[in-house]
Amino acid sequence: MAKVEGHEDLAPQIFYPAKTTVCTEAFSRFLSAYHANLDFFFFVIQLVSHADQARVRAATALLPGASTDEERALYEKSIAEPKRVR
């Protein structure tokens, strides 16, 4: 089984064969779609992670300029709980 670069901890749990695997035509088509879908899944996860990091950076930058206690509390909550989903 091939290792997924950057996701070595998931390798035992996810079937990710090498792109050079020899197989039938039908299985080859399946693997082609499977690779594309799995690559897209990891791409989306990476985008979400970067969006979370950007949200925390923005809250940190905007906190000093908060004009109300409600606004300040919202920024502080984003900083204190970076993985929280609203």
Side-chain angles (χ1 to χ4, degrees), residues 6-7 13 19 21-22 28 32 35-36 40 45 47 49 52-53 57-58 62 67 70 72-74 76-77 81 83 86:
H7 302 284
Q13 301 167 1
K19 291 187 178 186
T21 301
V22 177
S28 177
S32 178
H35 278 283
F40 179 69
I45 295 300
L47 285 179
S49 174
D52 286 344
Q53 293 169 7
R57 278 194 302 269
L62 294 170
S67 58
E70 184 178 294
R72 180 177 299 279
L74 181 65
E76 288 172 346
K77 186 176 183 178
E81 301 173 8
K83 304 257 185 221
R86 292 196 233 192

Side-chain angles (χ1 to χ4, degrees), residues 2-9 11 16 42:
K3 292 186 179 183
V4 181
E5 186 177 330
H7 302 284
E8 287 78 13
D9 57 325
Y16 203 88
F42 282 121

Side-chain angles (χ1 to χ4, degrees), residues 7-86:
H7 302 284
E8 287 78 13
D9 57 325
L10 297 177
Q13 301 167 1
I14 295 177
F15 176 67
Y16 203 88
K19 291 187 178 186
T20 57
T21 301
V22 177
C23 56
T24 65
E25 183 181 347
F27 191 55
S28 177
R29 285 194 307 266
F30 167 78
L31 287 179
S32 178
Y34 182 79
H35 278 283
N37 289 336
L38 201 56
D39 288 345
F40 179 69
F41 172 76
F42 282 121
F43 174 71
V44 169
I45 295 300
Q46 184 180 23
L47 285 179
V48 170
S49 174
H50 287 293
D52 286 344
Q53 293 169 7
R55 180 178 48 82
V56 172
R57 278 194 302 269
T60 303
L62 294 170
L63 182 61
S67 58
T68 65
D69 289 338
E70 184 178 294
E71 187 179 7
R72 180 177 299 279
L74 181 65
Y75 295 146
E76 288 172 346
K77 186 176 183 178
S78 287
I79 294 167
E81 301 173 8
K83 304 257 185 221
R84 181 179 172 92
V85 177
R86 292 196 233 192

